Amino acid sequence: AVDLGSTLTGDALEVTARGPLAAGLELEQVTRGEGGSSRGLAGLRCEAPKTDAWFVGGSTQVGDSLTLVMANPDDTPALADVIAWTSDGPADERPGRGIVIPPRTRAAFPLDEIAPDKEWLAVHVVVQRGRVAAAIRHARLDGKTPKGVEWIPQAQPPATTVVVPGLPQGPGRRILSVTNPGLDPTIVSLHLTTPDGQFVPTGMDALEVPAGTTLATELAPLTDKAPATVTVVSDGGPVIAGAFVYDLQDGPVREIAYAGSALPLSGPALLTDLVIDRPTESTLFLTALGADATVDVTPVPIVGRDGPLPAAKRVTVPGGRTTLLRLSTFLPPGATGRLAVEVRPVPGSAPVYASRYLREHGASGPLTTALVLQGSAQRVSLPDVRSDPIVGVSR
């Protein structure tokens, strides 16, 4: 995990699992800030250290603070390059070359050093030596008025078909960002999957994304009345994608969240700690793009909490539909508590995408965060081992 607090002043935490069930380890952090640029809910799936990470989202314009955080858990220095694309094209790569992260250290890198005063960023972290756990924190502040805080989730690597699940229904903006990191332009189409079916919105069947550029498309008119999963299909080179959720209610305070790209569940996925009380609602989004899918949502024990567990729920998702499950329904009406659940596709189920949206209604504005679910790791990619003439050893 890259951070343990609502600000960037805390230490990173390394968690290691051993044994036959180690692949099922899942960590998530959700922080709650009360004021200033930390006001809001900020959630993050804790990723394993790796040599490559993609992100879609964020801004370095006035009022926006965008910070790349990299944690090096190893005993040797890590060396990383940071590449960025914006709505105006590729950013200057020179300031992001050769960033050193010392052993057992977490480093914070302001992205306005690479792309100052830019909107709709996409970032690629390439680790040339070692490995890092990387994340990006976006905080917004208008004078003294909080405008939201969130961690930007890691995106799936570039592909010609990208799925972004879990855009919530509700007031505010819903903006899909598509980045073309290639050297040639491409044409993309946007396919929405809602509780009522699938369709291509008018005017979104052929959107040009220039080479090295991020294209932002407003979806709010379509999500005012229904949640959606977006499938981005590129007719040319591979792209990356993600969505920005700008939530609001009465008053000047705002809140933000990011919906990341996802793969279908490859096995059981965990939501590790759900707070269920009256002003807070956790909603599970399930999408089947093709045939019908079926999942079991099963409460699992939380260490230190006794008592019987609620019964599991089996949810069938019709093909070409998005289905919502409010997780508060596991407890009796009016009850409060904490809960962890496993989301497991039933054997023989069609592919299903899953995400969780957490929203708290507050007197001074909403607090929100989103999380893409993924199955337990079955394989872990290891970096290539090659000779390093500088230090005289393999790396």
Side-chain angles (χ1 to χ4, degrees), residues 50-77:
K50 58 182 70 172
T51 60
D52 182 81
W54 296 84
F55 301 90
V56 182
S59 167
T60 59
Q61 294 185 320
V62 175
D64 290 295
S65 174
L66 197 65
T67 306
L68 170 66
V69 182
M70 294 180 286
N72 175 9
D74 297 325
D75 295 325
T76 56

Side-chain angles (χ1 to χ4, degrees), residues 171 247-249 279-282 357-361 366-368:
D247 209 336
L248 58 90
Q249 60 187 52
T280 303
E281 182 62 72
S282 290
Y357 184 63
L358 175 62
R359 190 178 196 272
E360 176 182 335
H361 300 266
L367 296 98
T368 64

Side-chain angles (χ1 to χ4, degrees), residues 106-130:
R106 189 193 65 178
F109 184 79
L111 287 173
D112 59 3
E113 295 185 10
I114 296 178
D117 195 27
K118 297 297 183 180
E119 194 173 22
W120 313 124
L121 270 67
V123 173
H124 187 198
V125 178
V126 183
V127 183
Q128 303 291 354
R129 180 185 303 158

Side-chain angles (χ1 to χ4, degrees), residues 7-350:
T7 67
L8 293 175
T9 58
D11 293 329
L13 175 69
E14 179 182 352
V15 178
T16 303
R18 296 178 177 86
L21 300 179
L25 177 69
E26 185 73 20
L27 282 88
E28 175 195 356
Q29 65 177 52
V30 177
T31 59
R32 189 180 190 278
E34 297 291 342
S37 61
S38 298
R39 192 266 174 200
L41 290 176
L44 177 69
R45 183 181 188 273
C46 298
E47 300 276 358
K50 58 182 70 172
T51 60
D52 182 81
W54 296 84
F55 301 90
V56 182
S59 167
T60 59
Q61 294 185 320
V62 175
D64 290 295
S65 174
L66 197 65
T67 306
L68 170 66
V69 182
M70 294 180 286
N72 175 9
D74 297 325
D75 295 325
T76 56
L79 183 68
D81 293 337
V82 180
I83 305 165
W85 300 268
T86 75
S87 55
D88 296 326
D92 185 355
E93 294 185 10
R94 291 172 295 177
R97 294 291 185 182
I99 299 173
V100 176
I101 305 95
R104 299 285 178 178
T105 300
R106 189 193 65 178
F109 184 79
L111 287 173
D112 59 3
E113 295 185 10
I114 296 178
D117 195 27
K118 297 297 183 180
E119 194 173 22
W120 313 124
L121 270 67
V123 173
H124 187 198
V125 178
V126 183
V127 183
Q128 303 291 354
R129 180 185 303 158
R131 58 187 188 141
V132 300
I136 295 178
R137 182 179 185 270
H138 184 193
R140 312 187 90 184
L141 194 65
D142 183 4
K144 295 183 178 181
T145 303
K147 296 295 184 180
V149 62
E150 182 62 293
W151 291 97
I152 298 174
Q154 290 194 19
Q156 294 299 318
T160 54
T161 300
V162 181
V163 178
V164 181
L167 272 69
Q169 172 189 352
R173 307 182 70 187
R174 309 289 188 265
I175 298 173
L176 183 81
S177 293
V178 180
T179 299
N180 174 11
L183 300 178
D184 297 307
T186 188
I187 300 295
V188 301
S189 58
L190 307 184
H191 305 245
L192 269 62
T193 304
T194 73
D196 296 325
Q198 291 177 322
F199 64 98
V200 177
T202 302
M204 299 184 186
D205 56 338
L207 302 173
E208 182 178 1
V209 188
T213 300
T214 298
L215 174 70
T217 302
E218 179 69 74
L219 300 176
L222 303 169
T223 56
D224 287 345
K225 297 182 180 180
T229 286
V230 183
T231 302
V232 181
V233 179
S234 171
D235 289 341
V239 298
I240 56 176
F244 174 71
V245 178
Y246 191 51
D247 209 336
L248 58 90
Q249 60 187 52
D250 292 341
V253 175
R254 299 290 181 264
E255 171 67 313
I256 62 175
Y258 282 94
S261 56
L263 296 175
L265 293 182
S266 59
L270 288 175
L271 288 171
T272 57
D273 191 11
L274 304 170
V275 178
I276 296 177
D277 58 31
R278 189 169 185 178
T280 303
E281 182 62 72
S282 290
T283 303
L284 179 65
F285 290 73
L286 299 167
T287 297
L289 297 180
D292 293 357
T294 304
V295 300
D296 287 333
V297 185
T298 306
V300 297
I302 297 177
V303 174
R305 298 187 182 275
D306 300 322
L309 291 172
K313 295 178 182 288
R314 175 161 288 190
V315 182
T316 297
V317 186
R321 299 287 193 275
T322 292
T323 296
L324 274 59
L325 174 63
R326 296 188 181 277
L327 297 175
S328 61
T329 59
F330 277 100
L331 299 180
T336 62
R338 306 183 84 91
L339 196 65
V341 299
E342 177 193 75
V343 182
R344 181 188 292 265
V346 172
S349 168

